Amino acid sequence: QVYLVESGGGLVQAGGSLRLSCATSGLTFKIHPMYWYRQTPGNQRELVAFIKSDGSTNYTDSVKGRFTISRNNARNTVYLQMSSLKPEDTAVYYCHAQRQGVNFWGRGTQVTVSS
């Protein structure tokens, strides 16, 4: 079974920083792309960033230059460093992976940015 567990969310003032972590088990972690999504009430989940097995990364335009995704294959963990946070970054952030065509999600971690 695959498990994804996010942590690191919280309440922060605009301009502040947070580091999210997603610990995984049940995956051959190093071969899988890993994704961070976010969701606000009434909206679909939005892809924020992903990192491939070779370490290459991609970001949605709204977070470029502020967020950094990284991975530690020895710890089976993916991170999302978020800086210069804005109130519009407020959302539940989810970690996502796919294995053999099956999607796996964590329960999410709430990030709230106050103005």
Side-chain angles (χ1 to χ4, degrees):
Q1 184 61 281
V2 175
Y3 294 98
L4 309 175
V5 180
E6 303 95 338
S7 61
L11 173 64
V12 63
Q13 288 188 331
S17 299
L18 283 174
R19 186 197 193 203
L20 306 184
S21 300
C22 172
T24 76
S25 61
L27 284 174
T28 307
F29 181 80
K30 64 181 180 180
I31 70 171
H32 290 281
M34 295 297 301
Y35 304 81
W36 283 100
Y37 282 77
R38 64 187 179 187
Q39 187 173 27
T40 53
N43 294 306
Q44 290 187 333
R45 287 184 187 182
E46 172 194 26
L47 177 60
V48 176
F50 67 84
I51 183 167
K52 295 183 178 180
S53 58
D54 64 1
S56 60
T57 59
N58 195 276
Y59 301 89
T60 191
D61 286 346
S62 63
V63 309
K64 284 180 180 177
R66 301 188 298 120
F67 290 11
T68 302
I69 189 171
S70 61
R71 64 192 299 157
N72 184 325
N73 290 338
R75 295 189 174 186
N76 297 333
T77 300
V78 61
Y79 304 96
L80 186 67
Q81 177 68 48
M82 306 186 295
S83 302
S84 301
L85 282 161
K86 303 176 181 180
E88 51 263 44
D89 295 317
T90 295
V92 179
Y93 284 72
Y94 297 91
C95 181
H96 170 254
Q98 193 177 72
R99 188 185 72 178
Q100 297 177 338
V102 178
N103 290 307
F104 297 94
W105 298 90
R107 289 190 172 186
T109 186
Q110 175 71 48
V111 171
T112 303
V113 184
S114 63
S115 56

